[in-house]
């Protein structure tokens, strides 16, 4: 089979959008949502998670794009397609960053202006997309360039909600947008991406694979003059990992080993990136050893875990990125 280039893949994704629209009877988009698409990355989704994607297909937006990063059953893919969802797949796990890039390319090719990203287990409140669009428009009316607007993190039972540090020196929202606040970064789930801004900032780093993807992209956006803003009047629960590890006065998600190792690797590598603020690098340098130690203790002080974590730090220092060798 001939190898496809980037243009071929973009054309194929655009064609997939067209086929999905023809296959499923979609509701007429609401006027405020007519240029917005929803993007969802799937990895071994449960039936309930597939149902959540189906629920978004009747949300009134311009369309829903789901990227199968592995494990989507053929019957579920057919259900989604019949409902008008565009299902993309490369036949293997490409990682969250490349999945988001494929989704964004397909949305842009289909004429979308904005893209609402959701995790497969996300449960957005009614009106989330419209509220984020309204916040984006208020910021733009105030002449504030916007890359992404996201909801406040809501607590989910048994999970640690992310924290979004404020962005020092960022443009204030002013009276036109009192509910928004400039932040250093936002989680991808629930984020409304401006696709024109994405084209100028550049894609998510595929070599990061999964963890730290949104941090690096948001820091890059700020360095190029595009802001990341938190809309305080809407919220979304976040479920990261399989519980919470606590100790040393900190709390962190309990993650599979390959994810913790990838997080460490990418965080260490990011120290060499000029657009990552020095204050953040120093904070990470102080914080990462405690996180690694806490994770190792939670594993029962297993030597294999320690060696994997140390190897991840070495890989980050040497710039050895890409898909983790022990990914599922």
């Amino acid at each position: 089979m001939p190898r496809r280039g980037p243009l071929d893949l973009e054309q194929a994704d655009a064609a997939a959008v067209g086929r999905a629209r023809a296959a499923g009877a979609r509701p007429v988009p609401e006027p405020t949502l007519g240029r917005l698409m929803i993007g969802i990355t799937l990895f071994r989704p449960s039936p309930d998670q597939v149902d959540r994607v189906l629920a978004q297909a009747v949300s009134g937006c311009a369309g829903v794009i789901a990227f199968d990063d592995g494990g989507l059953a053929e019957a579920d893919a057919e259900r989604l397609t019949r409902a008008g969802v565009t299902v993309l797949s490369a036949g293997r796990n490409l990682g969250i960053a490349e999945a988001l890039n494929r989704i964004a390319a397909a949305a842009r090719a289909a004429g979308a202006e904005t893209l609402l990203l959701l995790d497969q287990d996300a449960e957005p409140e009614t009106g989330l997309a419209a509220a984020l669009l309204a916040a984006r428009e208020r910021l733009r009316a105030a002449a504030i360039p916007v890359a992404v607007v996201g909801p406040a993190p809501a607590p989910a039972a048994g999970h640690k909600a992310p924290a979004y540090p404020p962005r020092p020196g960022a443009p204030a929202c002013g009276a036109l947008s009192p509910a928004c606040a400039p932040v250093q970064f936002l989680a991808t789930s629930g984020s409304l991406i401006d696709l024109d801004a994405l084209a100028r900032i550049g894609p998510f780093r595929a070599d990061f694979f999964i963890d730290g993807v949104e941090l690096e992209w948001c820091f890059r956006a700020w360095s190029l003059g595009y802001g990341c803003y938190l809309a305080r009047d809407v919220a979304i629960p976040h479920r990261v990992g399989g519980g919470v590890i606590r100790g040393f006065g900190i709390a962190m998600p309990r993650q599979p080993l390959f994810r913790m190792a990838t997080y460490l690797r990418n965080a260490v590598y990011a120290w060499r990136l000029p657009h990552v603020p020095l204050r953040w690098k120093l904070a990470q340098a102080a914080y990462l050893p405690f996180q690694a130690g806490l994770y190792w203790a939670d594993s029962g002080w297993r030597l294999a875990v320690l060696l994997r974590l140390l190897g991840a730090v070495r890989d980050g220092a040497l710039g050895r990125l890409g898909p983790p060798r022990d990914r599922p």
Side-chain angles (χ1 to χ4, degrees):
M1 179 180 291
R3 191 171 185 176
R4 290 181 172 180
L7 182 59
D8 297 322
L9 288 170
E10 183 172 322
Q11 291 170 340
D13 289 347
V17 173
R19 288 195 300 272
R21 285 177 169 175
R26 294 201 40 78
V28 177
E30 295 182 11
T32 57
L33 304 180
R35 302 296 296 276
L36 174 145
M37 299 193 80
I38 295 175
I40 304 173
T41 301
L42 302 175
F43 180 72
R44 300 176 181 173
S46 66
D48 287 346
Q49 290 168 334
V50 174
D51 289 341
R52 291 192 184 102
V53 180
L54 289 169
Q56 296 304 320
V58 293
S59 62
C61 66
V64 178
I65 304 172
F67 189 91
D68 172 23
D69 225 1
L72 178 65
E74 184 176 347
D76 287 332
E78 291 175 355
R79 286 177 63 208
L80 293 172
T81 300
R82 285 197 303 270
V85 175
T86 301
V87 180
L88 307 177
S89 176
R92 63 189 188 282
N93 185 359
L94 300 182
I96 185 67
E98 182 59 21
L100 296 177
N101 291 336
R102 299 286 183 94
I103 290 171
R108 191 169 177 84
E113 291 182 352
T114 54
L115 176 66
L116 177 63
L117 300 174
L118 295 172
D119 288 345
Q120 63 186 17
D121 59 354
E123 298 181 55
E125 63 182 58
T126 302
L128 173 66
L132 294 178
L133 278 174
R136 169 180 173 265
E137 290 309 309
R138 292 195 299 269
L139 289 163
R140 295 177 72 190
I144 298 176
V146 183
V148 56
V149 181
H159 296 267
K160 179 183 180 293
Y164 304 135
R167 178 75 180 186
C173 300
L176 290 176
S177 186
C180 288
V183 292
Q184 296 276 27
F185 54 83
L186 291 159
T188 51
S189 183
S191 290
L192 180 73
I193 303 289
D194 184 296
L195 291 175
D196 282 342
L198 176 66
R200 293 178 174 87
I201 296 162
F204 296 97
R205 286 195 65 135
D207 56 0
F208 270 33
F209 195 75
I210 187 166
D211 284 284
V213 169
E214 66 273 56
L215 275 74
E216 187 279 329
W217 188 83
C218 286
F219 284 139
R220 190 169 6 125
W222 278 115
S223 73
L224 295 173
Y226 291 90
C228 307
Y229 284 84
L230 180 69
R232 298 188 183 279
D233 54 349
V234 285
I236 189 171
H238 282 275
R239 298 175 177 85
V240 180
V244 180
I245 305 173
R246 301 182 188 277
F248 305 127
I250 61 176
M252 57 182 284
R254 179 175 285 111
Q255 301 269 42
L257 179 57
F258 90 95
R259 287 206 57 176
M260 182 62 190
T262 306
Y263 163 73
L264 283 174
R265 181 197 71 180
N266 294 347
V268 170
Y269 177 81
W271 293 344
R272 68 173 67 186
L273 300 177
H275 56 269
V276 176
L278 177 60
R279 181 181 298 182
W280 179 259
K281 294 175 183 178
L282 295 175
Q284 285 279 282
Y287 188 53
L288 288 176
F290 287 100
Q291 286 185 300
L294 186 57
Y295 189 91
W296 184 34
D298 187 66
S299 77
W301 309 102
R302 288 189 292 147
L303 179 61
V305 172
L306 176 62
L307 293 176
R308 180 69 178 93
L309 298 181
L310 291 174
V313 172
R314 176 202 60 207
D315 289 343
L318 296 176
R320 297 173 181 170
L321 306 180
R325 63 182 182 275
D326 51 353
R327 70 189 186 279

